[in-house]
Amino acid sequence: MATADPSLARGVYLVLEPGGWWTLVPLSLASLLTGIVQSLGTPWGLVRHYWVLCKLLMNLVATGVLLLYMQTLAMLADLAADPATSLAQLRTASPVVHAAAAIGLLLVALALSVYKPRGLTGYGRRRQGRPGRSG
């Protein structure tokens, strides 16, 4: 975003798209899958505690936004591949804004994992009230 070198700007956008498909998307899906599997195998459960449910919803939203944003990265890569595109047309804050939002979500998820705020969901309260069950 800040470079004056058009070839550097083009190179960055040309690398962002395959980097997203080959790194960010698989890791995002792996995070979603491992989070679900781990929550099902722990006493926290998947929908018993609000903090776990909140992390699940954040992960689902972030994965959805990433998959939609990959279309924008493809468009930016196509623009960068066209030699007629000027540096001014490549200057967009979009990748920086999305990366900052992703970092914010990761920090919130980290805080939820560390502090585990109290609060059971309706399902968690019902489950806790059953005799002979842990939960």
Side-chain angles (χ1 to χ4, degrees):
M1 204 170 97
T3 186
D5 182 5
S7 62
L8 179 62
R10 288 179 196 287
V12 167
Y13 283 119
L14 290 172
V15 168
L16 279 176
E17 184 192 12
W21 281 117
W22 289 95
T23 305
L24 296 178
V25 171
L27 289 175
S28 180
L29 294 172
S31 171
L32 183 59
L33 181 64
T34 59
I36 291 171
V37 169
Q38 286 180 346
S39 69
L40 293 174
T42 66
W44 298 108
L46 184 60
V47 292
R48 290 182 195 163
H49 296 268
Y50 281 114
W51 70 270
V52 177
L53 191 57
C54 182
K55 282 182 62 175
L56 172 65
L57 293 175
M58 286 174 25
N59 199 329
L60 283 170
V61 168
T63 300
V65 168
L66 174 62
L67 290 172
L68 290 172
Y69 187 66
M70 291 307 298
Q71 295 173 359
T72 302
L73 283 181
M75 182 200 65
L76 290 170
D78 289 344
L79 272 176
D82 182 5
T85 303
S86 70
L87 182 60
Q89 290 173 298
L90 292 175
R91 288 188 195 260
T92 175
S94 179
V96 175
V97 170
H98 282 83
I103 289 171
L105 276 176
L106 286 171
L107 290 174
V108 170
L110 174 68
L112 287 172
S113 294
V114 170
Y115 295 111
K116 296 175 184 59
R118 293 176 190 227
L120 293 171
T121 63
Y123 172 79
R125 283 191 297 278
R126 285 190 305 276
R127 182 99 173 154
Q128 190 178 39
R130 291 183 183 173
R133 300 266 179 145
S134 64

